[in-house]
PDB file of all heavy atoms in Angstrom:
ATOM      1  N   GLY A   1     -10.509 -16.277   5.595  1.00  0.00           N
ATOM      2  CA  GLY A   1     -10.028 -15.358   6.626  1.00  0.00           C
ATOM      3  C   GLY A   1      -8.570 -14.997   6.439  1.00  0.00           C
ATOM      4  O   GLY A   1      -8.179 -13.817   6.512  1.00  0.00           O
ATOM      5  N   ALA A   2      -7.732 -16.006   6.198  1.00  0.00           N
ATOM      6  CA  ALA A   2      -6.305 -15.760   5.972  1.00  0.00           C
ATOM      7  C   ALA A   2      -6.091 -14.975   4.689  1.00  0.00           C
ATOM      8  O   ALA A   2      -5.190 -14.120   4.606  1.00  0.00           O
ATOM      9  CB  ALA A   2      -5.550 -17.086   5.919  1.00  0.00           C
ATOM     10  N   ALA A   3      -6.927 -15.231   3.682  1.00  0.00           N
ATOM     11  CA  ALA A   3      -6.814 -14.507   2.418  1.00  0.00           C
ATOM     12  C   ALA A   3      -7.118 -13.024   2.618  1.00  0.00           C
ATOM     13  O   ALA A   3      -6.463 -12.156   2.020  1.00  0.00           O
ATOM     14  CB  ALA A   3      -7.769 -15.104   1.384  1.00  0.00           C
ATOM     15  N   ILE A   4      -8.094 -12.709   3.465  1.00  0.00           N
ATOM     16  CA  ILE A   4      -8.410 -11.312   3.767  1.00  0.00           C
ATOM     17  C   ILE A   4      -7.227 -10.642   4.457  1.00  0.00           C
ATOM     18  O   ILE A   4      -6.851  -9.506   4.124  1.00  0.00           O
ATOM     19  CB  ILE A   4      -9.675 -11.225   4.645  1.00  0.00           C
ATOM     20  CG1 ILE A   4     -10.910 -11.657   3.847  1.00  0.00           C
ATOM     21  CG2 ILE A   4      -9.864  -9.808   5.186  1.00  0.00           C
ATOM     22  CD1 ILE A   4     -12.171 -11.775   4.693  1.00  0.00           C
ATOM     23  N   VAL A   5      -6.633 -11.322   5.421  1.00  0.00           N
ATOM     24  CA  VAL A   5      -5.493 -10.764   6.146  1.00  0.00           C
ATOM     25  C   VAL A   5      -4.317 -10.504   5.209  1.00  0.00           C
ATOM     26  O   VAL A   5      -3.717  -9.415   5.218  1.00  0.00           O
ATOM     27  CB  VAL A   5      -5.061 -11.713   7.285  1.00  0.00           C
ATOM     28  CG1 VAL A   5      -3.738 -11.258   7.896  1.00  0.00           C
ATOM     29  CG2 VAL A   5      -6.140 -11.766   8.363  1.00  0.00           C
ATOM     30  N   LEU A   6      -3.986 -11.491   4.382  1.00  0.00           N
ATOM     31  CA  LEU A   6      -2.826 -11.365   3.499  1.00  0.00           C
ATOM     32  C   LEU A   6      -3.047 -10.309   2.428  1.00  0.00           C
ATOM     33  O   LEU A   6      -2.174  -9.461   2.187  1.00  0.00           O
ATOM     34  CB  LEU A   6      -2.528 -12.721   2.860  1.00  0.00           C
ATOM     35  CG  LEU A   6      -1.261 -12.804   1.993  1.00  0.00           C
ATOM     36  CD1 LEU A   6      -0.027 -12.390   2.784  1.00  0.00           C
ATOM     37  CD2 LEU A   6      -1.086 -14.213   1.445  1.00  0.00           C
ATOM     38  N   SER A   7      -4.199 -10.324   1.780  1.00  0.00           N
ATOM     39  CA  SER A   7      -4.456  -9.333   0.735  1.00  0.00           C
ATOM     40  C   SER A   7      -4.529  -7.936   1.329  1.00  0.00           C
ATOM     41  O   SER A   7      -4.058  -6.967   0.723  1.00  0.00           O
ATOM     42  CB  SER A   7      -5.752  -9.668  -0.005  1.00  0.00           C
ATOM     43  OG  SER A   7      -6.853  -9.704   0.883  1.00  0.00           O
ATOM     44  N   GLY A   8      -5.097  -7.812   2.525  1.00  0.00           N
ATOM     45  CA  GLY A   8      -5.161  -6.511   3.188  1.00  0.00           C
ATOM     46  C   GLY A   8      -3.778  -5.979   3.536  1.00  0.00           C
ATOM     47  O   GLY A   8      -3.517  -4.778   3.391  1.00  0.00           O
ATOM     48  N   ALA A   9      -2.892  -6.867   3.979  1.00  0.00           N
ATOM     49  CA  ALA A   9      -1.531  -6.441   4.329  1.00  0.00           C
ATOM     50  C   ALA A   9      -0.776  -5.961   3.093  1.00  0.00           C
ATOM     51  O   ALA A   9      -0.100  -4.919   3.127  1.00  0.00           O
ATOM     52  CB  ALA A   9      -0.784  -7.597   4.993  1.00  0.00           C
ATOM     53  N   VAL A  10      -0.882  -6.698   2.004  1.00  0.00           N
ATOM     54  CA  VAL A  10      -0.192  -6.306   0.768  1.00  0.00           C
ATOM     55  C   VAL A  10      -0.764  -5.000   0.239  1.00  0.00           C
ATOM     56  O   VAL A  10      -0.028  -4.104  -0.193  1.00  0.00           O
ATOM     57  CB  VAL A  10      -0.293  -7.424  -0.290  1.00  0.00           C
ATOM     58  CG1 VAL A  10       0.269  -6.955  -1.628  1.00  0.00           C
ATOM     59  CG2 VAL A  10       0.450  -8.672   0.184  1.00  0.00           C
ATOM     60  N   ALA A  11      -2.091  -4.875   0.278  1.00  0.00           N
ATOM     61  CA  ALA A  11      -2.721  -3.642  -0.197  1.00  0.00           C
ATOM     62  C   ALA A  11      -2.296  -2.448   0.647  1.00  0.00           C
ATOM     63  O   ALA A  11      -2.000  -1.369   0.116  1.00  0.00           O
ATOM     64  CB  ALA A  11      -4.243  -3.791  -0.182  1.00  0.00           C
ATOM     65  N   SER A  12      -2.255  -2.621   1.965  1.00  0.00           N
ATOM     66  CA  SER A  12      -1.864  -1.517   2.851  1.00  0.00           C
ATOM     67  C   SER A  12      -0.438  -1.052   2.574  1.00  0.00           C
ATOM     68  O   SER A  12      -0.169   0.160   2.518  1.00  0.00           O
ATOM     69  CB  SER A  12      -1.993  -1.951   4.318  1.00  0.00           C
ATOM     70  OG  SER A  12      -3.339  -2.220   4.654  1.00  0.00           O
ATOM     71  N   MET A  13       0.481  -2.012   2.413  1.00  0.00           N
ATOM     72  CA  MET A  13       1.866  -1.648   2.089  1.00  0.00           C
ATOM     73  C   MET A  13       1.938  -0.900   0.767  1.00  0.00           C
ATOM     74  O   MET A  13       2.637   0.118   0.639  1.00  0.00           O
ATOM     75  CB  MET A  13       2.731  -2.909   1.984  1.00  0.00           C
ATOM     76  CG  MET A  13       3.114  -3.537   3.284  1.00  0.00           C
ATOM     77  SD  MET A  13       4.380  -4.801   3.019  1.00  0.00           S
ATOM     78  CE  MET A  13       3.703  -5.761   1.683  1.00  0.00           C
ATOM     79  N   THR A  14       1.228  -1.417  -0.209  1.00  0.00           N
ATOM     80  CA  THR A  14       1.268  -0.812  -1.543  1.00  0.00           C
ATOM     81  C   THR A  14       0.717   0.612  -1.515  1.00  0.00           C
ATOM     82  O   THR A  14       1.305   1.531  -2.101  1.00  0.00           O
ATOM     83  CB  THR A  14       0.446  -1.665  -2.524  1.00  0.00           C
ATOM     84  OG1 THR A  14       0.956  -3.001  -2.523  1.00  0.00           O
ATOM     85  CG2 THR A  14       0.516  -1.093  -3.925  1.00  0.00           C
ATOM     86  N   ILE A  15      -0.391   0.801  -0.837  1.00  0.00           N
ATOM     87  CA  ILE A  15      -1.001   2.134  -0.758  1.00  0.00           C
ATOM     88  C   ILE A  15      -0.061   3.108  -0.058  1.00  0.00           C
ATOM     89  O   ILE A  15       0.109   4.249  -0.507  1.00  0.00           O
ATOM     90  CB  ILE A  15      -2.354   2.047  -0.025  1.00  0.00           C
ATOM     91  CG1 ILE A  15      -3.368   1.255  -0.869  1.00  0.00           C
ATOM     92  CG2 ILE A  15      -2.896   3.443   0.276  1.00  0.00           C
ATOM     93  CD1 ILE A  15      -4.586   0.802  -0.082  1.00  0.00           C
ATOM     94  N   ALA A  16       0.566   2.668   1.039  1.00  0.00           N
ATOM     95  CA  ALA A  16       1.475   3.548   1.774  1.00  0.00           C
ATOM     96  C   ALA A  16       2.687   3.941   0.925  1.00  0.00           C
ATOM     97  O   ALA A  16       3.091   5.106   0.887  1.00  0.00           O
ATOM     98  CB  ALA A  16       1.933   2.864   3.060  1.00  0.00           C
ATOM     99  N   MET A  17       3.272   2.974   0.236  1.00  0.00           N
ATOM    100  CA  MET A  17       4.425   3.267  -0.619  1.00  0.00           C
ATOM    101  C   MET A  17       4.037   4.207  -1.757  1.00  0.00           C
ATOM    102  O   MET A  17       4.784   5.129  -2.114  1.00  0.00           O
ATOM    103  CB  MET A  17       5.004   1.971  -1.195  1.00  0.00           C
ATOM    104  CG  MET A  17       5.698   1.087  -0.198  1.00  0.00           C
ATOM    105  SD  MET A  17       6.394  -0.379  -1.020  1.00  0.00           S
ATOM    106  CE  MET A  17       6.809  -1.382   0.414  1.00  0.00           C
ATOM    107  N   THR A  18       2.870   3.959  -2.327  1.00  0.00           N
ATOM    108  CA  THR A  18       2.432   4.781  -3.456  1.00  0.00           C
ATOM    109  C   THR A  18       2.103   6.193  -2.999  1.00  0.00           C
ATOM    110  O   THR A  18       2.361   7.167  -3.720  1.00  0.00           O
ATOM    111  CB  THR A  18       1.219   4.145  -4.147  1.00  0.00           C
ATOM    112  OG1 THR A  18       1.492   2.765  -4.414  1.00  0.00           O
ATOM    113  CG2 THR A  18       0.913   4.842  -5.460  1.00  0.00           C
ATOM    114  N   ALA A  19       1.548   6.331  -1.800  1.00  0.00           N
ATOM    115  CA  ALA A  19       1.289   7.664  -1.247  1.00  0.00           C
ATOM    116  C   ALA A  19       2.595   8.428  -1.077  1.00  0.00           C
ATOM    117  O   ALA A  19       2.659   9.637  -1.358  1.00  0.00           O
ATOM    118  CB  ALA A  19       0.560   7.544   0.087  1.00  0.00           C
ATOM    119  N   SER A  20       3.649   7.739  -0.637  1.00  0.00           N
ATOM    120  CA  SER A  20       4.954   8.379  -0.504  1.00  0.00           C
ATOM    121  C   SER A  20       5.488   8.828  -1.861  1.00  0.00           C
ATOM    122  O   SER A  20       6.026   9.935  -2.005  1.00  0.00           O
ATOM    123  CB  SER A  20       5.939   7.404   0.151  1.00  0.00           C
ATOM    124  OG  SER A  20       7.241   7.953   0.208  1.00  0.00           O
ATOM    125  N   GLU A  21       5.326   7.971  -2.872  1.00  0.00           N
ATOM    126  CA  GLU A  21       5.731   8.340  -4.229  1.00  0.00           C
ATOM    127  C   GLU A  21       4.966   9.567  -4.721  1.00  0.00           C
ATOM    128  O   GLU A  21       5.534  10.489  -5.325  1.00  0.00           O
ATOM    129  CB  GLU A  21       5.458   7.184  -5.191  1.00  0.00           C
ATOM    130  CG  GLU A  21       6.414   6.024  -5.098  1.00  0.00           C
ATOM    131  CD  GLU A  21       6.156   5.031  -6.219  1.00  0.00           C
ATOM    132  OE1 GLU A  21       6.675   5.234  -7.333  1.00  0.00           O
ATOM    133  OE2 GLU A  21       5.411   4.056  -5.983  1.00  0.00           O
ATOM    134  N   GLU A  22       3.676   9.569  -4.448  1.00  0.00           N
ATOM    135  CA  GLU A  22       2.836  10.670  -4.898  1.00  0.00           C
ATOM    136  C   GLU A  22       3.244  11.977  -4.213  1.00  0.00           C
ATOM    137  O   GLU A  22       3.280  13.037  -4.848  1.00  0.00           O
ATOM    138  CB  GLU A  22       1.376  10.343  -4.595  1.00  0.00           C
ATOM    139  CG  GLU A  22       0.389  11.305  -5.211  1.00  0.00           C
ATOM    140  CD  GLU A  22      -1.045  10.869  -4.967  1.00  0.00           C
ATOM    141  OE1 GLU A  22      -1.460   9.878  -5.602  1.00  0.00           O
ATOM    142  OE2 GLU A  22      -1.727  11.503  -4.144  1.00  0.00           O
ATOM    143  N   ASN A  23       3.563  11.906  -2.924  1.00  0.00           N
ATOM    144  CA  ASN A  23       4.001  13.101  -2.201  1.00  0.00           C
ATOM    145  C   ASN A  23       5.314  13.627  -2.758  1.00  0.00           C
ATOM    146  O   ASN A  23       5.508  14.848  -2.880  1.00  0.00           O
ATOM    147  CB  ASN A  23       4.145  12.785  -0.713  1.00  0.00           C
ATOM    148  CG  ASN A  23       2.811  12.551  -0.035  1.00  0.00           C
ATOM    149  OD1 ASN A  23       1.778  13.019  -0.511  1.00  0.00           O
ATOM    150  ND2 ASN A  23       2.818  11.828   1.071  1.00  0.00           N
ATOM    151  N   SER A  24       6.219  12.712  -3.090  1.00  0.00           N
ATOM    152  CA  SER A  24       7.499  13.132  -3.677  1.00  0.00           C
ATOM    153  C   SER A  24       7.283  13.794  -5.033  1.00  0.00           C
ATOM    154  O   SER A  24       7.909  14.809  -5.347  1.00  0.00           O
ATOM    155  CB  SER A  24       8.430  11.922  -3.828  1.00  0.00           C
ATOM    156  OG  SER A  24       8.772  11.384  -2.571  1.00  0.00           O
ATOM    157  N   ALA A  25       6.390  13.221  -5.838  1.00  0.00           N
ATOM    158  CA  ALA A  25       6.099  13.793  -7.152  1.00  0.00           C
ATOM    159  C   ALA A  25       5.468  15.170  -7.020  1.00  0.00           C
ATOM    160  O   ALA A  25       5.773  16.089  -7.788  1.00  0.00           O
ATOM    161  CB  ALA A  25       5.172  12.859  -7.929  1.00  0.00           C
ATOM    162  N   ALA A  26       4.597  15.341  -6.002  1.00  0.00           N
ATOM    163  CA  ALA A  26       3.959  16.640  -5.779  1.00  0.00           C
ATOM    164  C   ALA A  26       4.997  17.675  -5.347  1.00  0.00           C
ATOM    165  O   ALA A  26       4.951  18.836  -5.781  1.00  0.00           O
ATOM    166  CB  ALA A  26       2.868  16.507  -4.726  1.00  0.00           C
TER     167      ALA A  26
END
């Protein structure tokens, strides 16, 4: 359960940051 929470949090941050990078590149 804790592993799901932690991996989900890291993935969410990473996706959000990468989306921002992608928008800047576009």
Side-chain angles (χ1 to χ4, degrees):
I4 292 172
V5 171
L6 185 57
S7 59
V10 173
S12 295
M13 284 191 311
T14 303
I15 293 164
M17 290 182 192
T18 310
S20 176
E21 285 188 84
E22 189 176 288
N23 290 337
S24 296

